[in-house]
Amino acid sequence: MGPYGDWLLEDTAAVCRDLDCGSAVYGEKRKDFPQSPVWWVSSDCVKKFAVRDCVYDSSSSSSSSSGLEVKCSDSVRLVSGPSLCSGSVQIWDQSWTWVCEGALDQQGAEVLCRELGCGAPSLLQGALSPLEQTFHCEGHESALMDCPRSGSETCSSGAAVNLTCSEPLRLVGGASRCAGTVEMRHRGEWRRMEPNRHWLLEDISASPVWGVLPYCVKKAAVRDCVDDYSSSFSSSSGLEVKCSDSVRLVSGPSLCSGSVQIWDQSWTWVCEGALDQQGAEVLCRELGCGAPSLLQGALSPLEQTFHCEGHESALMDCPRSGSETCSSGAAVNLTCSEPLRLVGGASRCAGTVEMRHRGEWRRMEPYGYNGPWVLEDTAAVLMFLLFFLRFSTPDG
């Protein structure tokens, strides 16, 4: 079978589905097969239809040295979840059966996530009680079905344990758990990511890397975006990133806007009234954004959690007077301005454009492959400045 188009892990999941195997662990195009007739299969089609319904009619006379190599988990899978690393747990025992609430503990979840080629478990629902626990894992096992079992109770889907594993990424060598060089686990091996030149690169000792396609990660999980040719890559480049390790904005229209969450063993919502203007300024600065321009549900001092003076480098450095959590519907919403400003002009809407990046303000140098800087490019900059900076100070 010859894959046609960009083949992602979700496409491999369709093959595993049609084989009645478990979840997709990896799938990649190989180009080292003997030249022979193949069936060309559309990756877009298999997301919705059976694989056999996605063969190109014109491929009956096709010959190629490419083929698709896949690995599916043969005894466990996550179903009905938002991603390949999240869902309700099923095991293969003559047929696919649900794993019940309470049958799996944290160590069992770690084994299961590792078996599926995912990262560590980040959310385990319905599995914290030891009552009727089925799997007794020590954590080192390579497959969930290798763990000792004390029963085979089955249940309906509504009573099944739900598990979310993190994506198989990690940061190494940084100052915190959310800073450092990006490594990805693929086909059982941890390697640095080798990104396209449009990403920020740093010099590192040459070693094997996984090549990652930057256009792909905008719409798919990072592990779905490994370059087909990268299994033999060696490079002295790598991707250095820094993420905020204790606060984030979610479900917003941009990276500088959304509902506020903080990390306190897990991600929890910051409630209305828990944050004032000074706290919002600290938070926006921590995220590398400009000054807060819109703060909803946070103007009342009632039940205020964070008491910032405004000079702190991180929101969690501010004194706290409680740790109340709430639902997403009662969370505070914050919009920070984009890190742009105009300097040296006759008004606040004229001047030289400067951008704050990696903590430093610098002029912008127009650059691109599509010709000179045109008025529509200027309009995009002004849109940010006019919309976001209406309430910002010049040194925000």
Side-chain angles (χ1 to χ4, degrees):
M1 190 173 88
Y4 187 83
D6 292 327
W7 194 269
L8 305 178
L9 203 58
E10 60 183 303
D11 307 320
T12 300
V15 175
C16 294
R17 174 200 67 205
D18 283 10
L19 292 170
D20 202 24
C21 289
S23 295
V25 177
Y26 72 79
E28 63 181 7
K29 289 187 283 189
R30 282 180 45 195
K31 304 182 184 293
D32 56 353
F33 290 95
Q35 190 80 14
S36 62
V38 296
W39 297 117
W40 288 105
V41 175
S42 166
S43 60
D44 291 332
C45 174
V46 297
K47 295 178 177 67
K48 300 177 286 186
F49 304 103
V51 175
R52 66 172 181 170
D53 294 334
C54 298
V55 176
Y56 271 75
D57 294 335
S58 59
S59 69
S60 58
S61 59
S62 294
S63 187
S64 172
S65 60
S66 297
L68 178 65
E69 186 87 1
V70 307
K71 180 180 179 181
C72 316
S73 60
D74 58 0
S75 60
V76 67
R77 66 184 183 184
L78 299 176
V79 299
S80 305
S83 73
L84 296 175
C85 289
S86 181
S88 299
V89 181
Q90 287 188 332
I91 57 171
W92 177 262
D93 192 4
Q94 309 305 316
S95 62
W96 288 107
T97 59
W98 302 97
V99 173
C100 306
E101 292 185 1
L104 196 69
D105 64 4
Q106 184 71 17
Q107 288 175 304
E110 290 172 359
V111 171
L112 192 157
C113 289
R114 186 168 59 247
E115 180 180 358
L116 296 181
C118 302
S122 57
L123 181 61
L124 184 59
Q125 295 177 328
L128 300 181
S129 169
L131 184 65
E132 302 294 335
Q133 187 172 314
T134 303
F135 295 94
H136 304 272
C137 303
E138 295 182 6
H140 58 78
E141 296 87 354
S142 58
L144 183 66
M145 298 298 277
D146 292 340
C147 300
R149 299 170 64 185
S150 59
S152 59
E153 181 188 8
T154 60
C155 51
S156 65
S157 60
V161 58
N162 288 288
L163 173 64
T164 296
C165 310
S166 59
E167 291 297 319
L169 298 173
R170 68 185 183 188
L171 294 172
V172 298
S176 72
R177 68 181 186 89
C178 291
T181 302
V182 185
E183 292 187 346
M184 179 172 62
R185 186 175 182 267
H186 181 61
R187 303 193 70 176
E189 182 180 354
W190 286 102
R191 293 185 184 182
R192 286 194 321 275
M193 284 170 51
E194 165 69 13
N196 181 279
R197 61 186 174 187
H198 298 299
W199 288 19
L200 180 65
L201 298 176
E202 67 162 356
D203 293 328
I204 301 174
S205 299
S207 61
V209 296
W210 296 121
V212 175
L213 304 169
Y215 69 85
C216 172
V217 298
K218 294 179 175 66
K219 57 183 179 178
V222 175
R223 68 170 179 162
D224 289 350
C225 299
V226 178
D227 193 310
D228 298 333
Y229 297 96
S230 70
S231 59
S232 59
F233 276 7
S234 266
S235 173
S236 59
S237 297
L239 177 65
E240 185 84 0
V241 305
K242 181 179 180 182
C243 314
S244 58
D245 59 357
S246 60
V247 67
R248 66 183 183 184
L249 299 176
V250 299
S251 304
S254 75
L255 296 176
C256 290
S257 181
S259 299
V260 181
Q261 287 188 332
I262 58 171
W263 176 265
D264 192 5
Q265 309 304 316
S266 62
W267 288 106
T268 58
W269 301 97
V270 173
C271 306
E272 292 184 2
L275 198 68
D276 64 4
Q277 184 70 16
Q278 288 175 304
E281 291 173 358
V282 171
L283 192 157
C284 289
R285 186 167 60 246
E286 180 180 358
L287 295 180
C289 301
S293 58
L294 183 61
L295 184 60
Q296 295 177 328
L299 300 180
S300 169
L302 184 63
E303 300 296 334
Q304 188 172 314
T305 303
F306 296 94
H307 305 272
C308 302
E309 296 182 4
H311 59 77
E312 296 87 354
S313 59
L315 184 65
M316 297 297 277
D317 292 341
C318 300
R320 297 170 65 184
S321 59
S323 58
E324 182 187 8
T325 60
C326 52
S327 66
S328 59
V332 59
N333 288 287
L334 174 64
T335 295
C336 310
S337 60
E338 293 295 316
L340 297 173
R341 68 184 182 187
L342 293 171
V343 298
S347 73
R348 69 183 183 90
C349 291
T352 302
V353 183
E354 291 187 347
M355 180 172 64
R356 185 174 183 268
H357 180 60
R358 303 188 74 177
E360 182 180 356
W361 286 102
R362 294 186 183 182
R363 291 193 315 276
M364 283 173 55
E365 171 71 17
Y367 177 80
Y369 298 105
N370 298 320
W373 189 270
V374 295
L375 200 56
E376 63 183 297
D377 304 323
T378 301
V381 174
L382 292 179
M383 177 187 68
F384 281 125
L385 288 166
L386 291 173
F387 181 78
F388 288 108
L389 300 182
R390 285 184 300 171
F391 308 104
S392 302
T393 58
D395 59 350

